[in-house]
Amino acid sequence: MNATSVDQVEFRWQPGKDFGPVAYSTEDPRIRHAAHLILPMATLPQGVASGHRSLVYLVLPGDGLATIIERSSDPDAVALSAGSPRAGGGRHPQVARALIGPYATVGIDLALACLWQGLDALRLGDPPGQVTYGRTLARLPAGEHEELLRAFRARAGNRPQPVRGLSALVAAVLRQPERPLAAMLPAADLQAPVQGGYLRGLRFTAAVLLRGTGCAWRPSFSTYEPAQGDDRGGLQPHLVFRAAHAHAGAPPTQPREENRIALWEEAEAPADECARVARCLVRAYNELGGTGLAERLGPVVSQYRTLEARLEATALSLRQYAEPSVSAYVFPVQRPAPPAVHRVPGATEPVSAPPAADDGTDETDGMDGKLLAELYRMLPTQYDDGFFQLVEWICAAAGRRVRVPEAESGQIVEYLNLVDWYADRLTGHYRELAASRLAGLLQPLLGTRLDSGQPMRWLAGRLSREDGAGVWARAGALIYARLSDPREAAVLADRLVPELLNRLAEPRHETAARPSAPRPVQAPPGLLSDAWRRPVRVPRWLLGGLVLAVVVLSAALAWW
């Protein structure tokens, strides 16, 4: 089996042998072993009607293989033996055709394309249900699937038909990606091709954010499974679509633990971060299509490695698709109070109070606060030298006490929180000057919010976190030194200094809480101390050598 080959296996029912493989395209033992592994999922569920079609996609652990299984109930399937007549019903119409190949070739996109067009869209040779026992099937030609994949990906660029309950499915996957999931649909809907809409939506939303995070999410599915009482055990897909009706048979002996999502109900989803991001993703997917959404999520996936960071960055990137009532600002925008009104005795109309005196803390002549906000907004788009040029200009503006207007700062602060204010990048580039640059990024955005509770709690909490390089702690001290308003400096010190003292007072290790008794200091031995009077053993060969050296030296001196 080469790197691009895709093999075929057909499964049929035979009298006396039950349901199993009847035809292969290869003698490769890996393919034949894989066929036995997937046999439970290739077997059609009980109770399927004539004309049934469902599709299963499985990733085989440890083998580097994946399989696409198309199951069907075909009354026109050829008889394999005289004991399996067409008439009389039974299991004769049950047919399953499997494509088995390397995971890099038989991927999730090919599985969704086959769900969309069917295996008939590929040049399989003998169609499913029309082969006899022991016949050698054709191997799928190399590159045969490329045309179908191109058609599927081109279709992904179009706006999809919205499906009900997709955001609940996406949220469930994001909330517990490692846990198997059952999407519940009415039995009538399971026979219709609605599962493709859910699977494509999941492919271009949650699956993109989960890629490369190391979680236990596996892109495998089955478009039709009965209630759990009829589970056949063995290798099962991560996501299955089940009938919603209650099962009247015996309960399963070893049911797998899975989360269940009722897709036909408009049940209120949990109000958590996963649900909020899922609604943003689905709205963006319905408007932009899969390709357009992938372009929006590409920078998020490339820049962040953990799912938590990707969720926060996605909420920021897709904030225009969030509900209007949801506010993700860390520092709430405070609207300026209306000017105070004073009444002059004898006057009929109120007059405004005179403007307050300039205390030297407002913006000085030079860069405008809105222009400074544009510098902040350019940070995510720049790398290397361009990024650090922006940092230098922002820090220079901070030195001139330029502040970003409150109406402009909310989104900027939200984004910088997601990237931890680029502390790691600043440390790697500036080294000992990183704290100064971090303070320069912070100061123009704090503004007059130092006297409000939420920003101070956030700032104190961030400065109190473990920081190996000490960049955040030093940045807080630098901001305090640069504040020209004594009131703002006092507010900052009153909140940060007690936090610092409490943190330093905490014992780092158990030995620090119980220090050992100091050892007494010992003076060096004097000339008359006992240390110089102790006998010392000298080897005889050393004494003989010394005597011989003295004799030779004396003879040489006498001769000279």
Side-chain angles (χ1 to χ4, degrees):
M1 183 184 69
N2 56 52
T4 59
S5 65
V6 177
D7 289 286
Q8 298 188 69
V9 180
E10 176 139 324
F11 299 84
R12 294 287 304 278
W13 176 81
Q14 301 177 77
K17 295 184 179 181
D18 208 0
F19 194 81
V22 298
Y24 295 89
S25 63
T26 180
E27 297 290 334
D28 190 330
R30 293 179 62 200
I31 299 298
R32 293 183 173 250
H33 175 67
H36 288 282
L37 286 178
I38 66 176
L39 175 60
M41 292 307 303
T43 306
L44 272 72
Q46 296 182 7
V48 296
S50 178
H52 168 87
R53 174 181 175 266
S54 58
L55 193 127
V56 177
Y57 177 65
L58 282 172
V59 178
L60 306 182
D63 294 328
L65 300 175
T67 180
I68 301 172
I69 312 169
E70 186 179 72
R71 307 176 299 194
S72 60
S73 179
D74 182 9
D76 296 327
V78 299
L80 295 180
S81 63
S84 56
R86 296 177 181 273
R91 301 184 61 185
H92 159 73
Q94 296 181 6
V95 180
R97 176 70 64 90
L99 304 180
I100 305 177
Y103 174 69
T105 302
V106 186
I108 184 65
D109 283 355
L110 181 59
L112 295 177
C114 291
L115 176 62
W116 170 42
Q117 294 284 9
L119 292 186
D120 294 339
L122 302 170
R123 289 181 292 174
L124 303 178
D126 297 312
Q130 301 301 313
V131 298
T132 57
Y133 179 81
R135 181 176 177 82
T136 301
L137 299 174
R139 180 174 288 178
L140 197 66
E144 163 64 20
H145 61 286
E146 294 296 336
E147 183 178 353
L148 179 59
L149 276 178
R150 283 193 295 269
F152 169 76
R153 289 166 180 164
R155 182 172 181 255
N158 302 329
R159 296 179 63 176
Q161 182 70 28
V163 290
R164 183 172 56 179
L166 177 59
S167 61
L169 181 62
V170 172
V173 172
L174 294 176
R175 195 174 292 115
Q176 289 183 297
E178 75 285 351
R179 189 175 177 87
L181 189 65
M184 312 299 292
L185 285 171
D189 290 347
L190 283 177
Q191 302 296 337
V194 298
Q195 299 93 323
Y198 292 105
L199 291 169
R200 287 190 298 272
L202 199 60
R203 153 70 178 84
F204 291 108
T205 55
V208 175
L209 296 181
L210 292 170
R211 186 186 307 148
T213 58
C215 65
W217 164 258
R218 292 182 290 120
S220 56
F221 64 85
S222 172
T223 62
Y224 182 90
E225 292 298 319
Q228 255 193 315
D230 295 328
D231 275 354
R232 70 290 307 272
L235 190 63
Q236 296 187 49
H238 201 74
L239 170 64
V240 297
F241 288 85
R242 295 191 185 277
H245 62 80
H247 182 67
T253 56
Q254 292 182 337
R256 74 169 185 174
E257 296 182 358
E258 60 185 20
N259 292 335
R260 296 189 177 187
I261 303 297
L263 298 180
W264 79 94
E265 294 179 349
E266 294 294 343
E268 184 177 354
D272 59 3
E273 182 71 9
C274 292
R276 183 170 71 91
V277 174
R279 289 191 289 269
C280 292
L281 286 169
V282 172
R283 290 191 183 97
Y285 170 67
N286 290 336
E287 181 173 327
L288 304 175
T291 304
L293 181 57
E295 294 176 355
R296 296 289 296 271
L297 297 180
V300 173
V301 174
S302 61
Q303 187 171 0
Y304 303 98
R305 293 289 177 253
T306 65
L307 178 59
E308 291 77 10
R310 289 180 178 180
L311 290 176
E312 294 178 355
T314 300
L316 176 63
S317 177
L318 303 180
R319 58 184 177 273
Q320 66 268 38
Y321 298 100
E323 296 91 343
S325 59
V326 175
S327 175
Y329 286 82
V330 177
F331 294 156
V333 176
Q334 299 176 356
R335 301 182 183 276
V341 176
H342 297 266
R343 293 186 177 274
V344 179
T348 57
E349 293 294 335
V351 296
S352 299
D358 186 6
D359 60 357
T361 60
D362 294 335
E363 297 179 5
T364 61
D365 294 336
M367 184 185 298
D368 181 74
K370 294 184 178 179
L371 183 58
L372 178 59
E374 292 300 322
L375 293 179
Y376 277 102
R377 293 192 183 96
M378 286 291 291
L379 286 174
T381 66
Q382 298 298 315
Y383 300 91
D384 299 330
D385 188 58
F387 173 84
F388 297 111
Q389 289 182 24
L390 292 173
V391 171
E392 292 297 330
W393 274 101
I394 293 172
C395 292
R400 297 186 59 85
R401 292 182 285 121
V402 182
R403 290 173 174 173
V404 176
E406 294 184 7
E408 304 271 344
S409 63
Q411 295 176 359
I412 298 173
V413 170
E414 181 183 9
Y415 170 75
L416 290 175
N417 281 341
L418 297 179
V419 297
D420 202 20
W421 294 76
Y422 295 109
D424 292 339
R425 190 185 297 187
L426 297 176
T427 303
H429 182 77
Y430 292 105
R431 299 186 183 277
E432 65 275 4
L433 298 178
S436 174
R437 300 305 186 269
L438 180 58
L441 290 181
L442 282 162
Q443 189 172 345
L445 291 167
L446 294 179
T448 58
R449 301 182 186 86
L450 287 172
D451 58 354
S452 60
Q454 183 177 358
M456 288 305 302
R457 284 193 299 270
W458 170 82
L459 189 60
R462 183 58 188 86
L463 296 181
S464 64
R465 281 163 49 183
E466 288 294 334
D467 185 10
V471 176
W472 277 93
R474 294 199 302 272
L478 287 173
I479 294 175
Y480 171 77
R482 294 173 181 176
L483 289 175
S484 59
D485 189 342
R487 294 169 299 177
E488 295 180 359
V491 170
L492 186 66
D494 289 343
R495 187 57 187 261
L496 299 187
V497 173
E499 295 280 351
L500 174 65
L501 295 176
N502 292 335
R503 186 171 74 254
L504 296 179
E506 294 177 356
R508 292 293 180 180
H509 303 285
E510 188 176 352
T511 56
R514 297 189 301 271
S516 58
R519 297 181 179 179
V521 179
Q522 297 181 356
L527 293 176
L528 300 179
S529 64
D530 294 337
W532 299 104
R533 300 175 182 176
R534 295 173 184 171
V536 179
R537 286 183 171 272
V538 179
R540 292 183 177 181
W541 60 267
L542 181 58
L543 292 175
L546 291 174
V547 172
L548 180 61
V550 171
V551 172
V552 173
L553 182 60
S554 300
L557 291 174
W559 178 81
W560 181 74

